Amino acid sequence: MSAPTSPATGTAEKLSQHPRFLRVWASQSAGAVADQILPVAFALHAVQLGAGAGTIAVILAGRAIALVVCLLAGGILADRVSRPRILFTADLLRTAIVLGTLLALDDLPLAALGIVTALSGVAESLSRPAMRSLIPALLPAALLERGNALMSAVQRSATLLGALAGAAIVTAIGIHAALGLAALLFATGALAVLGVRDVAADNRARTSILADAAAGIATVRRRPWVAAVMAAVAVQLFAGTAPSLTLLPLIAADRLGGELAYGLVLAAAAAGALPAIALAGRWRPRRPGTVSMLALTTYAALPASLAFALPLPVTALCFALGGFVVEIYFISWLSALQREIPAEVLGKTLALDQLSAFALLPVGYALTGPAVAAFGIQPTLIAAAALTAAASAVTLLVPGVSTFSDPATAPTSDGGGRRGSGTRNGAVTG
């Protein structure tokens, strides 16, 4: 059965009437917890063994490098084959990777954990574009915000649980138990999506891989507002995320209260996203781009909170603010892309969106250690905060950014989007 496309019908329906969406949602929920357990467990394991900022950066950078290298390939694949099958394969791969790491952990040098996070990142590169481009095939256009909000809500909740669980388990029991739980969750995610079929995969046009990549790039180039937002988010991850995540476990151990404080601060970021998800799932501002990009300027609170000797509750509150504004932006942005981008290039465009976001993240990780050595922790973090705030504000100078749509086309009044029926990727059956 095809997903309904009538705005009136979609408005009357509820997410609970779409069981295939709920199965994908459950699958991604389990994986989201596991995804967060891994970096927390590895970072704390490194701190316990006396590692510094450089080693932690190497461990965390593995995932970012893999995403940069492989995301476009994942997007091309998502537009060529069954997306549920990709989700199943990605979770199965991560299960095997984590189990292998668990068995060999005692013999692995710390730097090798960067390879583990990179391999996990390769599987994530397959999963991300497939999941996000599958949602318009599972839901009518009028439910996209709610669907994206629910997906984000459970992933953020899972991130909160994963951060707390990872920190608590590593502290109380050890890293082996944390990795065992992560492997179990990835396996659960794979099982949850079994049996969901993407019928539209049988009808997709087959072109060369190079032509697919070129089509995705051309789609972005024809929309300067899309390119501008992608560039801004890349700078934010470079300046805001990389130094904050690299230095947080060290600062937590030095003055915030230790390993559990590290997990609490990460959990606060996830908790802060939850009210934003509830708001963004129902709120449709006339200029979503203006709201989103101005909100993102306050993401600078992450590095700024670490630059000064703030108490743990204040630092956690700043990270919670960061989580809040990211979700306000993300749900509006993802829903806009799902409406504005034609179905045949949606997977590639979403992959390019993620690729551009992570493009500078490995550079940020690589430069954090040398910057701290040259200038000190506080100047590095203050400069990072300033760059983070400026990156999103300047995008509002680009036509189309304020509405997250092509400037020549006004949004429709029914809330379904001018490409509501155009983004339907076909039937997805269980």
Side-chain angles (χ1 to χ4, degrees):
M1 180 184 297
S2 297
T5 58
S6 167
T9 302
T11 301
E13 287 185 322
K14 299 179 180 179
L15 293 175
S16 59
Q17 296 174 291
H18 299 273
R20 292 175 291 277
F21 166 79
L22 296 178
R23 290 177 61 184
V24 173
W25 169 71
S27 168
Q28 296 305 295
S29 302
V33 177
D35 273 330
Q36 189 60 36
I37 288 175
L38 288 182
V40 171
F42 287 155
L44 290 180
H45 180 61
V47 170
Q48 288 175 345
L49 296 180
T55 301
I56 295 172
V58 168
I59 294 172
L60 297 179
R63 168 179 174 267
I65 293 171
L67 291 172
V68 170
V69 172
C70 300
L71 264 172
L72 182 56
I76 292 173
L77 193 64
D79 286 337
R80 297 172 72 90
V81 301
S82 168
R83 289 156 179 163
R85 188 180 303 167
I86 294 173
L87 298 180
F88 171 78
T89 303
D91 276 340
L92 201 62
L93 284 174
R94 285 184 283 191
T95 303
I97 291 165
V98 176
L99 285 176
T101 304
L102 176 60
L103 294 174
L105 183 64
D106 293 337
D107 299 320
L108 288 176
L110 281 178
L113 296 181
I115 299 175
V116 175
T117 58
L119 291 174
S120 180
V122 171
E124 187 179 353
S125 299
L126 301 178
S127 178
R128 278 176 175 253
M131 183 268 289
R132 290 174 180 172
S133 57
L134 180 60
I135 291 175
L138 297 166
L139 295 174
L143 287 180
L144 284 180
E145 272 83 7
R146 293 188 184 184
N148 288 323
L150 185 60
M151 192 71 75
S152 288
V154 76
Q155 288 182 325
R156 290 298 181 181
S157 299
T159 299
L160 187 155
L161 293 174
L164 290 176
I169 292 173
V170 171
T171 302
I173 305 175
I175 189 173
H176 294 83
L179 294 181
L181 177 59
L184 177 62
L185 289 168
F186 280 133
T188 301
L191 292 174
V193 80
L194 267 181
V196 176
R197 290 177 53 243
D198 185 359
V199 176
D202 300 331
N203 302 318
R204 290 177 192 142
R206 294 293 187 264
T207 56
S208 72
I209 292 177
L210 289 178
D212 276 353
I217 294 171
T219 299
V220 174
R221 290 183 61 186
R222 287 194 295 268
R223 296 168 174 83
W225 60 275
V226 174
V229 174
M230 287 182 176
V233 173
V235 173
Q236 288 216 325
L237 266 69
F238 163 79
T241 301
S244 297
L245 293 186
T246 299
L247 296 174
L248 176 59
L250 299 175
I251 292 173
D254 181 51
R255 61 174 171 81
L256 292 180
E259 296 169 348
L260 191 55
Y262 172 52
L264 287 172
V265 172
L266 290 180
L274 297 180
I277 290 166
L279 176 62
R282 296 182 177 274
W283 182 36
R284 297 285 297 278
R286 294 185 62 185
R287 294 188 174 274
T290 300
V291 172
S292 298
M293 302 315 291
L294 288 179
L296 274 185
T297 62
T298 63
Y299 191 71
L302 271 69
S305 70
L306 299 177
F308 304 97
L310 301 177
L312 176 60
V314 178
T315 302
L317 184 62
C318 290
F319 272 72
L321 174 63
F324 182 90
V325 299
V326 164
E327 285 305 321
I328 288 291
Y329 149 78
F330 177 72
I331 292 173
S332 291
W333 175 245
L334 180 57
S335 300
L337 291 181
Q338 289 168 341
R339 288 193 181 96
E340 293 287 322
I341 305 301
E344 61 272 14
V345 290
L346 180 60
K348 293 179 280 289
T349 305
L350 292 174
L352 284 171
D353 177 48
Q354 291 294 292
L355 172 60
S356 65
F358 287 103
L360 296 180
L361 189 56
V363 180
Y365 283 129
L367 292 181
T368 297
V372 168
F375 307 109
I377 289 180
Q378 187 178 60
T380 298
L381 289 170
I382 291 174
L387 186 55
T388 299
S392 61
V394 298
T395 61
L396 293 173
L397 299 175
V398 179
V401 169
S402 64
T403 57
F404 280 168
S405 63
D406 292 339
T409 306
T412 60
S413 60
D414 62 17
R418 68 184 180 89
R419 293 185 184 270
S421 60
T423 56
R424 303 275 64 76
N425 289 325
V428 179
T429 61

